[in-house]
Amino acid sequence: AHLPGDARLAAERAAGVSSLRAAHPVASAGAGERRPLGESNAHAASARKPRAAEAAAVDCGGEENPHPPRKTAVVPTLAYLTTDELASAPAYMKSRLSLEKMNSAVDEVQVALCRKYELMRAPTRSLSLEQKKAQSGYKQLELEHPKLKGLLFISEEDLRTARHVRQDQTGKNILSVLRHVQRLKEVSAGGLKCWFMV
């Protein structure tokens, strides 16, 4: 079925994100439960994400998976923003961004991370030529920029097809807010902007 943008993202996430899912699932270390939009920090504080080592492994769709495959790339779940967190961002930074748009952007970042690290962990022999080139490019980027090694990150290239998190003014504001509320941090790799999970 053809779904509108944000609904498609949610469905894609629930379905396991990509066609590599069946053969190469990516575990996602719990980041606390997804909270209803607008829930205050007072209620959310106790649900903050635990350390990855302490969290139960779940797949990218969020379902419990007590017995993940031996070789998995652990992608923690980015917590949605709360009303209070968005309100804490300076007016010049958040502009007219709504909580709904910010959390749709969180979904886009999560999907991009899951797609990337599924591809990174996939055996080369199972990939198409285009996927092999992408996988090689990711590995080369880490080799050329050691400061990226060990980080779970995405770059401008990974977000070029995103609906909300693009390199236009709105997308830049979204990324600024995500940095402000400590969901992401930014690092430059040879002029390429990258964002890694906090």
Side-chain angles (χ1 to χ4, degrees):
H2 294 285
L3 300 174
D6 294 341
R8 177 180 55 76
L9 271 176
E12 205 174 41
R13 194 168 180 176
V17 182
S18 79
S19 59
L20 293 173
R21 159 69 49 209
H24 310 290
V26 173
S28 172
E33 294 182 353
R34 282 304 179 110
R35 302 184 293 278
L37 298 185
E39 182 179 358
S40 70
N41 280 343
H43 295 292
S46 61
R48 285 293 186 192
K49 56 187 178 183
R51 294 182 182 276
E54 300 170 352
V58 297
D59 66 19
C60 286
E63 298 178 358
E64 294 184 2
N65 181 16
H67 304 293
R70 290 179 60 191
K71 292 184 178 181
T72 55
V74 179
V75 179
T77 301
L78 282 170
Y80 283 142
L81 274 70
T82 64
T83 302
D84 289 350
E85 285 178 315
L86 182 57
S88 75
Y92 77 87
M93 184 183 294
K94 65 186 176 185
S95 186
R96 298 179 182 178
L97 293 172
S98 66
L99 189 64
E100 183 179 4
K101 178 170 282 190
M102 284 302 308
N103 286 332
S104 292
V106 168
D107 280 336
E108 286 187 340
V109 172
Q110 186 79 50
V111 167
L113 281 162
C114 283
R115 282 176 171 164
K116 174 183 177 178
Y117 286 97
E118 283 177 347
L119 183 59
M120 288 282 281
R121 297 293 297 183
T124 304
R125 65 179 179 277
S126 68
L127 302 178
S128 68
L129 181 59
E130 184 178 352
Q131 289 172 323
K132 288 177 182 177
K133 288 181 179 178
Q135 186 189 68
S136 177
Y138 287 140
K139 293 179 179 179
Q140 188 63 32
L141 186 62
E142 290 187 0
L143 286 174
E144 293 176 356
H145 303 283
K147 60 185 173 183
L148 295 175
K149 192 169 180 63
L151 299 177
L152 293 174
F153 72 94
I154 50 175
S155 70
E156 295 170 282
E157 287 299 308
D158 299 314
L159 295 173
R160 70 180 186 275
T161 59
R163 179 184 176 195
H164 300 296
V165 195
R166 296 178 293 183
Q167 288 304 294
D168 57 11
Q169 190 55 53
T170 298
K172 290 176 181 177
N173 287 348
I174 287 172
L175 289 165
S176 293
V177 173
L178 290 177
R179 295 199 309 272
H180 175 78
V181 298
Q182 298 186 349
R183 295 298 189 275
L184 300 174
K185 284 190 177 180
E186 184 177 309
V187 62
S188 179
L192 180 69
K193 288 183 180 179
C194 299
W195 297 271
F196 63 92
M197 299 183 71
V198 177

